[in-house]
């Protein structure tokens, strides 16, 4: 089984330096693939050759370094199939969301013999507070979904700065292990034990939940836009038919308001009616008489039937005169 470690970190946090330390001190003897997704910028090595969207280079340590462009999930699948590594280190873009990269790996887990092993975020202890404020969700997402947060530049920080930084991180993610030791004073083996001692399952579920919510919101926006267009069309069409149903001067409209998310989107829909000229629009259920309700329902049925391919005949009051 291939272990996949995601090493995230904001721009300039030191994640490349951290990866080099781990390769030099811990991963000797393992077949390693390092994947960079830095919008085409490769920070570890140069001289890459493109191959189906995958740029590949042999590093001095024997590690294979790839820079994926295009379809990340598809290309990651190709790397696994081609190289069958013991471990994959993914270094996402400094402005990328950790949860997005996690989702790609979670999808790959369903197809390949791989395991999402460690979720690590490298944070510059001297800049964390400013970056949290300046970059908001993009920065915070990398902390919220990490199982291990490793602080860099701690040798240049005061004890007060470190304490404040740790508190901010714990406010975002109280379950993450936070390593504050100067990198020169801690071994790669010690760091690896901390990384692999954390359970990623909860973060995987949170990432899937986040993506499901984002997908729901996107679809809800599409539905809302179509619903509003259809509401205007339906309102005009029903109003035009009302004259033929002895409701001269009446109006029909569909009122759509934002509401908390539910099974049908983020809209609250209410039919509004003015039964006669000179009256204002009010909720249909409150102002219409039984006869008006029947006529408006007939008008809506007639309009709706025009949207179907099957011709429909509607007979109203078929019991008239019976008896």
């Amino acid at each position: 089984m291939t272990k996949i470690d995601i090493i995230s970190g904001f721009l300039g946090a030191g994640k490349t330096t951290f990866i080099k330390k781990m390769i030099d001190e811990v991963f000797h003897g393992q077949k390693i693939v390092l994947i960079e997704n830095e919008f085409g910028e490769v920070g570890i090595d140069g001289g890459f050759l493109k191959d189906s969207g995958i740029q590949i280079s042999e590093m001095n340590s024997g590690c294979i370094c790839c820079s994926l462009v295009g379809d990340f999930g598809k290309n990651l699948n190709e790397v696994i199939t081609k190289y069958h590594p013991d471990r994959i280190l993914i270094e996402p873009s400094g402005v990328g969301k950790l949860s997005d990269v996690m989702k790609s790996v979670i999808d790959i887990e369903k197809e390949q013999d791989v395991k999402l092993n460690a979720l690590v975020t490298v944070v510059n202890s001297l800049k964390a507070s400013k970056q949290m404020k300046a970059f908001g969700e993009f920065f915070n997402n990398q902390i919220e979904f990490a199982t291990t947060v490793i602080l860099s530049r701690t040798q240049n920080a005061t004890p007060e700065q470190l304490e404040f930084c740790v508190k901010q991180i714990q406010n975002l993610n109280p379950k993450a292990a936070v390593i504050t030791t100067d990198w020169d004073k801690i071994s790669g083996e010690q760091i690896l034990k901390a990384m692999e001692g954390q359970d990623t399952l909860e973060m995987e579920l949170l990432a899937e939940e986040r993506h499901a919510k984002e997908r729901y919101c996107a679809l809800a926006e599409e539905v809302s836009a179509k619903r509003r267009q259809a509401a205007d069309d339906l309102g005009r069409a029903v109003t035009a038919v009302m004259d033929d149903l002895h409701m001269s001067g009446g109006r029909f409209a569909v009122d759509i308001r934002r509401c908390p998310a539910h099974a049908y989107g983020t809209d609250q829909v209410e039919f509004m009616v003015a039964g006669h000229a000179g009256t204002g629009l009010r909720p249909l259920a409150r102002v219409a008489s039984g006869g008006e309700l029947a006529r408006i329902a007939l008008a809506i049925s007639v309009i709706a039937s025009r949207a179907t391919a099957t011709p429909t005949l509607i007979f109203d009051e078929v019991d008239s005169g019976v008896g």
Side-chain angles (χ1 to χ4, degrees):
M1 176 179 289
T2 298
K3 293 181 178 180
I4 298 181
D5 301 330
I6 304 175
I7 314 296
S8 68
F10 216 64
L11 297 169
K15 59 184 184 291
T16 298
T17 302
F18 170 75
I19 289 172
K20 285 183 177 180
K21 175 182 176 69
M22 298 301 289
I23 291 175
D24 290 341
E25 297 182 15
V26 185
F27 299 140
H28 281 300
Q30 295 187 34
K31 188 175 183 180
I32 303 293
V33 169
L34 170 62
I35 293 177
E36 295 186 326
N37 186 30
E38 197 77 51
F39 296 115
E41 296 179 6
V42 180
I44 295 260
D45 210 354
F48 287 61
L49 298 176
K50 292 186 178 180
D51 178 15
S52 301
I54 305 172
Q55 298 176 322
I56 301 172
S57 173
E58 288 287 345
M59 297 173 58
N60 293 334
S61 62
C63 170
I64 297 169
C65 184
C66 310
S67 180
L68 301 192
V69 293
D71 189 330
F72 180 83
K74 176 183 176 183
N75 290 333
L76 176 58
N77 215 332
E78 290 180 13
V79 168
I80 296 168
T81 301
K82 183 173 182 179
Y83 293 101
H84 304 289
D86 298 316
R87 186 185 297 265
I88 294 176
L89 305 177
I90 299 178
E91 181 185 357
S93 162
V95 293
K97 291 183 179 180
L98 177 55
S99 60
D100 289 343
V101 184
M102 288 173 61
K103 182 62 170 60
S104 294
V105 176
I106 291 169
D107 290 341
I108 294 294
E109 283 185 310
K110 301 170 185 176
E111 305 174 23
Q112 298 272 8
D113 186 22
V114 300
K115 173 190 176 185
L116 183 54
N117 182 59
L119 302 168
V120 178
T121 296
V122 181
V123 175
N124 186 331
S125 60
L126 303 177
K127 297 182 178 180
S129 182
K130 291 182 179 179
Q131 290 177 333
M132 282 183 188
K133 293 178 181 178
F135 301 106
E137 182 184 1
F138 291 99
F139 183 87
N140 295 343
N141 182 277
Q142 296 187 4
I143 295 175
E144 291 169 350
F145 287 90
T147 53
T148 305
V149 177
I150 300 176
L151 299 186
S152 63
R153 305 323 192 256
T154 57
Q155 71 275 19
N156 299 322
T158 66
E160 292 76 20
Q161 285 177 311
L162 276 181
E163 181 181 1
F164 182 64
C165 182
V166 171
K167 283 184 178 179
Q168 287 184 302
I169 290 170
Q170 290 176 335
N171 285 339
L172 290 173
N173 186 348
K175 295 185 179 182
V178 182
I179 297 177
T180 61
T181 307
D182 181 353
W183 293 1
D184 291 334
K185 298 178 180 178
I186 188 172
S187 69
E189 189 65 39
Q190 289 173 304
I191 295 174
L192 184 63
K193 285 182 180 178
M195 288 167 46
E196 296 193 331
Q198 303 299 310
D199 186 4
T200 65
L201 177 59
E202 182 176 356
M203 293 305 172
E204 290 185 49
L205 294 175
L206 287 173
E208 290 191 306
E209 179 187 15
R210 172 73 65 88
H211 278 268
K213 286 182 178 178
E214 290 175 352
R215 178 62 176 157
Y216 169 88
C217 290
L219 291 173
E221 283 297 321
E222 292 181 21
V223 169
S224 183
K226 293 178 180 179
R227 185 178 278 147
R228 291 175 188 279
Q229 177 61 52
D232 292 340
D233 294 342
L234 181 63
R236 288 190 293 268
V238 172
T239 296
V241 174
M242 287 171 69
D243 282 340
D244 300 329
L245 299 175
H246 306 293
M247 299 179 71
S248 181
R251 289 184 296 145
F252 177 85
V254 182
D255 180 49
I256 300 178
R257 299 178 184 178
R258 289 289 186 180
C259 70
H262 56 89
Y264 302 102
T266 54
D267 296 327
Q268 178 179 316
V269 180
E270 188 168 35
F271 288 168
M272 309 291 287
V273 65
H276 305 282
T279 60
L281 288 167
R282 297 178 63 189
L284 175 63
R286 297 181 185 177
V287 300
S289 66
E292 288 174 330
L293 279 173
R295 279 176 277 176
I296 292 171
L298 174 62
I300 294 173
S301 297
V302 169
I303 300 302
S305 70
R306 296 173 183 172
T308 65
T310 305
T312 303
L313 295 176
I314 300 176
F315 298 93
D316 186 36
E317 298 184 11
V318 293
D319 59 340
S320 179
V322 176

